[in-house]
Amino acid sequence: MSTLHLVNKSPFERNSLDACLRLAAKGSAVLLFEDGVIGAMQNTKHSDAINTAMSDHKFYVLGPDIKARGLNDDNVIDGINVIDYDGFVDLTTEHKTVQSWL
Amino acid sequence: MEDEGVVKKFCYMNRKAPYGTIYALESLEVVLIAAAFDQDISLVFADDGVYQLTNNQDTDGIGMKNFSKTYTALGDYDIKKIYVEKESLEERGLTADDLQALKYEDEDDDWAEKDSLFVVGREELSKIIDEQDVVLSF
Amino acid sequence: MPLEVNGQSYETDEEGYLANLNDWQPELAEAMATADGAELSDNHWEVINFLREYYEEYQIAPAVRVLTKAIGKKLGKDKGNSKYLYELFPYGPAKQACKYAGLPKPTGCV
């Protein structure tokens, strides 16, 4: 199994998501959580970054972090899977390695 | 003690999303304390700081206190100037409708409810910041 | 020091504030008042209940100045002044009443 990449920083605040997308191998998965969920929202200045990377990676976003910030699952970029904490745990066990982008 | 003292213009600049870091909550607590000193206070929300004011925050799933409700008490603390940068909202696909309504009750006008949140453009915000005596960054 | 009421033990901090907001019940307020040598009247309860409602809505315990103004608006000018509130809660309306209401100490209150 491939690598699971974790991004917990807003793309407006840090370049973690950019760096992750630049260096993550094709076929690896990316999970956005904490402030990283901001990167999963559509119609933002940074939405295109994920839209263009969609064919190379599977994308996941943690639902509880979306709700906490007053954001809506309906506004998540099409093709990103909204998951809960159980799904988070499953992802970490399904992948060979987990890499955090701080 | 009877001296009215010097009133300075204090601006609290909020540029981070809530919950991911402690900045938003710390800023709010400092503002609530500082409100007791009868200074001329403005709050600015720009960049990811605009997420602090979103409607319908629900933190049950992350086990943290939902402090977004506290912003609606700022009127009680005589904080009546809350500026949100329009361009920051736009870059994030948000509009003023995605934010909580923040109001204060005007004691001198039979407790009429008045808006305390203003969405302002970059140029106007730049002027507002330039007029401050002290800007505190969070 | 834990607070003992009806055979149950409730955790408090070093100043006697309830550790867990959800533990609160009217009997705890009575017990705290008794420990301070006070007895709770309807007038006390008005303020305590007001504080609990305020916390429920805004997630903070209000500063004294804010409490005074809000009480005045809700319960009338004769109650919305610090003399009245300090007579009810001589240790400080925000501090003492918040403690009885099971709330944390007001932000900025030392």
Side-chain angles (χ1 to χ4, degrees):
Chain A
M1 284 300 278
S2 65
T3 299
L4 173 66
H5 296 274
L6 301 181
V7 177
N8 72 340
K9 301 289 186 286
S10 162
F12 289 94
E13 174 93 25
R14 306 262 189 103
N15 62 0
S16 315
L17 178 62
D18 266 350
C20 168
L21 296 180
R22 190 172 77 236
L23 295 166
K26 209 170 169 169
S28 57
V30 180
L31 168 61
L32 305 165
F33 71 112
E34 294 178 1
D35 287 346
V37 302
I38 291 164
M41 308 312 291
Q42 58 190 11
N43 300 324
T44 84
K45 204 171 100 181
H46 293 278
S47 304
D48 281 346
I50 287 184
N51 278 324
T52 46
M54 194 66 89
S55 52
D56 290 342
H57 307 282
K58 281 212 82 158
F59 283 96
Y60 302 90
V61 61
L62 194 62
D65 281 322
I66 294 178
K67 281 206 174 63
R69 287 159 185 78
L71 302 174
N72 195 323
D73 289 2
D74 297 341
N75 294 328
V76 166
I77 293 169
D78 283 341
I80 301 183
N81 295 302
V82 181
I83 61 165
D84 58 11
Y85 282 102
D86 289 343
F88 192 161
V89 174
D90 290 343
L91 281 179
T92 57
T93 59
E94 286 164 9
H95 287 81
K96 180 172 56 84
T97 49
V98 176
Q99 182 178 344
S100 288
W101 295 83
L102 298 178
Chain B
M1 280 303 279
E2 296 307 308
D3 185 6
E4 285 284 298
V6 183
V7 174
K8 286 190 176 183
K9 290 172 82 76
F10 281 83
C11 171
Y12 293 82
M13 172 74 78
N14 302 284
R15 296 182 42 257
K16 301 226 178 0
Y19 309 116
T21 60
I22 196 71
Y23 289 97
L25 178 57
E26 289 287 321
S27 171
L28 184 55
E29 298 216 321
V30 172
V31 166
L32 292 174
I33 294 166
F37 295 100
D38 290 325
Q39 298 292 305
D40 180 353
I41 294 181
S42 303
L43 309 191
V44 171
F45 294 85
D47 298 320
D48 279 351
V50 299
Y51 290 116
Q52 295 179 28
L53 300 180
T54 51
N55 263 326
N56 305 322
Q57 293 181 25
D58 175 0
T59 57
D60 287 351
I62 61 168
M64 294 172 80
K65 178 168 145 174
N66 178 357
F67 57 85
S68 69
K69 294 175 175 182
T70 306
Y71 294 103
T72 62
L74 289 172
D76 293 349
Y77 285 76
D78 292 325
I79 291 169
K80 304 166 185 173
K81 293 186 286 188
I82 298 165
Y83 302 105
V84 178
E85 195 200 43
K86 185 165 165 278
E87 287 81 353
S88 294
L89 289 174
E90 287 168 358
E91 286 172 355
R92 287 160 182 79
L94 301 173
T95 69
D97 291 340
D98 294 308
L99 306 180
Q100 303 195 81
L102 300 183
K103 307 200 179 277
Y104 72 97
E105 294 175 333
D106 192 343
E107 206 175 340
D108 303 325
D109 190 7
D110 196 24
W111 305 99
E113 272 204 342
K114 298 184 178 175
D115 286 325
S116 52
L117 186 152
F118 306 95
V119 175
V120 295
R122 197 153 278 172
E123 252 177 68
E124 191 182 346
L125 184 59
S126 156
K127 262 187 229 145
I128 291 166
I129 296 168
D130 195 51
E131 291 163 359
Q132 303 297 322
D133 294 309
V134 181
V135 178
L136 295 139
S137 234
F138 290 90
Chain C
M1 197 181 69
L3 187 67
E4 307 282 345
V5 177
N6 296 336
Q8 279 261 44
S9 180
Y10 300 93
E11 200 188 328
T12 63
D13 70 8
E14 68 276 10
E15 290 175 276
Y17 288 81
L18 210 56
N20 185 356
L21 194 67
N22 298 322
D23 281 348
W24 189 86
Q25 43 187 299
E27 291 76 17
L28 297 191
E30 306 275 8
M32 286 174 176
T34 307
D36 289 341
E39 200 176 322
L40 297 180
S41 65
D42 289 349
N43 288 337
H44 290 95
W45 278 111
E46 249 177 5
V47 177
I48 292 170
N49 289 328
F50 177 87
L51 281 170
R52 289 192 60 82
E53 284 162 24
Y54 196 93
Y55 192 89
E56 175 64 25
E57 184 169 358
Y58 300 115
Q59 298 293 303
I60 45 165
V64 190
R65 181 174 58 96
V66 174
L67 173 69
T68 311
K69 200 163 80 174
I71 289 275
K73 199 189 154 209
K74 185 162 184 207
L75 305 174
K77 278 245 182 298
D78 53 327
K79 295 182 176 177
N81 59 76
S82 41
K83 182 172 177 290
Y84 173 80
L85 291 169
Y86 268 95
E87 274 167 7
L88 285 178
F89 300 100
Y91 295 104
K95 250 173 141 169
Q96 192 181 4
C98 283
K99 190 168 94 170
Y100 295 172
L103 308 184
K105 208 158 67 163
T107 299
C109 189
V110 275

